Amino acid sequence: MEDTYRHKGLRRKLMEEVRGKGISDAAVLAAIDKIPRHFFMDLAFLEFAYQDKAFPIGAGQTISQPFTVAFQTQLLQVSKGMKVLEIGTGSGYQTAVLLECGCRVYSIERQKALYDKTRAFLPQMGYQPNLYYGDGYKGQPAFAPFDRVLVTCGAPFIPPALIEQIKPGGRLVIPVGEGEVQVMTLITKALDGSVKEDTFGEFRFVPMLGEREWK
Ligand code: SAH
């Protein structure tokens, strides 16, 4: 696969579109401009890679819409050197955005086929995240606490383990809701360990599944 001038032009337009929808974080916009999203997609959808839409990536999952990726990352307020836990590696596109922002990323995926595919693919792109096959509801206690935690699937509730694994002064961004629609939720943990919840509108994600629902 190639990254042509045409792709680069389409990507620039996508970045402008995302900016026009209200994203102002320079590092996030630069990441969208830089990452060849078409490499992260199934062949059948290649020509749509630079539309601001979600698309299937196999195993019944989707690559999130670029605006959603940008919105969540901006809300997370990441900066260079931060340790970030991501739940739902999927295609690895969001992982790549976090890495481009200078974060150290720990990402968990519960679908073995996607985990295997993305674990082989990201290093080919020059990315070196820490990827795990496992249950995002449990987080990654061995490497906790994290400066930031990001959930990229729709959670029926906020998993207590994820709140525990936020560093004091840290943030968790998670879409919460059991139906088709979730409310983007930001949990901030103060230095004294107390947590505060704010919401940021409705989004649509594939569901965060528990162990019993795994296929
Ligand atoms: N960040 C991804 C989004 C993929 S969609 C991207 O940019 O492409 C959400 C992903 O969450 C899916 O791959 C799905 O398999 C995964 N997921 C769902 N429930 C999970 C759980 N309990 N633990 C870890 N991953 C989960």
Side-chain angles (χ1 to χ4, degrees):
M1 215 182 290
E2 269 187 282
D3 191 26
T4 64
Y5 280 106
R6 185 174 158 271
H7 290 122
K8 291 187 173 96
L10 290 171
R11 205 142 70 224
R12 181 61 52 95
K13 276 196 189 144
L14 175 64
M15 180 197 71
E16 293 300 346
E17 187 178 343
V18 167
R19 194 208 303 271
K21 290 178 179 173
I23 303 301
S24 55
D25 185 314
V28 173
L29 291 169
I32 289 178
D33 192 34
K34 181 169 174 194
I35 302 169
R37 187 171 186 251
H38 61 289
F39 287 7
F40 291 72
M41 292 180 49
D42 271 2
L43 279 177
F45 298 100
L46 275 189
E47 58 182 304
F48 307 118
Y50 296 105
Q51 293 187 7
D52 189 22
K53 287 183 185 155
F55 288 101
I57 51 172
Q61 305 305 320
T62 57
I63 180 171
S64 298
Q65 182 181 345
F67 172 74
T68 303
V69 171
F71 189 90
Q72 287 198 287
T73 315
Q74 175 164 287
L75 197 53
L76 211 54
Q77 291 188 355
V78 292
S79 53
K80 231 180 165 153
M82 279 185 176
K83 197 165 128 191
V84 182
L85 174 66
E86 178 191 27
I87 309 301
T89 314
S91 69
Y93 182 74
Q94 170 73 74
T95 312
V97 169
L98 291 168
L99 290 166
E100 289 292 347
C101 291
C103 302
R104 287 176 291 142
V105 185
Y106 297 74
S107 187
I108 307 175
E109 173 56 54
R110 67 160 198 108
Q111 294 247 20
K112 187 70 164 61
L114 276 177
Y115 163 78
D116 285 338
K117 188 172 161 192
T118 302
R119 191 180 55 152
F121 167 69
L122 284 175
Q124 287 169 21
M125 299 290 293
Y127 294 120
Q128 305 292 346
N130 304 287
L131 301 181
Y132 304 93
Y133 168 57
D135 183 5
Y137 279 95
K138 301 193 177 106
Q140 197 54 270
F143 295 97
F146 297 93
D147 296 293
R148 301 289 187 260
V149 180
L150 175 61
V151 178
T152 71
C153 37
F157 59 89
I158 305 175
L162 298 186
I163 296 183
E164 266 166 40
Q165 291 172 32
I166 311 170
K167 206 179 265 183
R171 297 178 153 227
L172 158 67
V173 171
I174 178 168
V176 185
E178 275 194 272
E180 296 247 299
V181 172
Q182 294 84 32
V183 175
M184 192 62 76
T185 305
L186 167 67
I187 303 288
T188 39
K189 189 181 266 189
L191 292 177
D192 67 5
S194 61
V195 293
K196 176 167 90 70
E197 188 173 323
D198 294 287
T199 58
F200 294 85
E202 294 187 339
F203 290 79
R204 280 164 193 273
F205 286 81
V206 295
M208 181 173 186
L209 299 179
E211 241 161 333
R212 267 179 291 143
E213 299 157 297
W214 292 24
K215 281 181 219 123

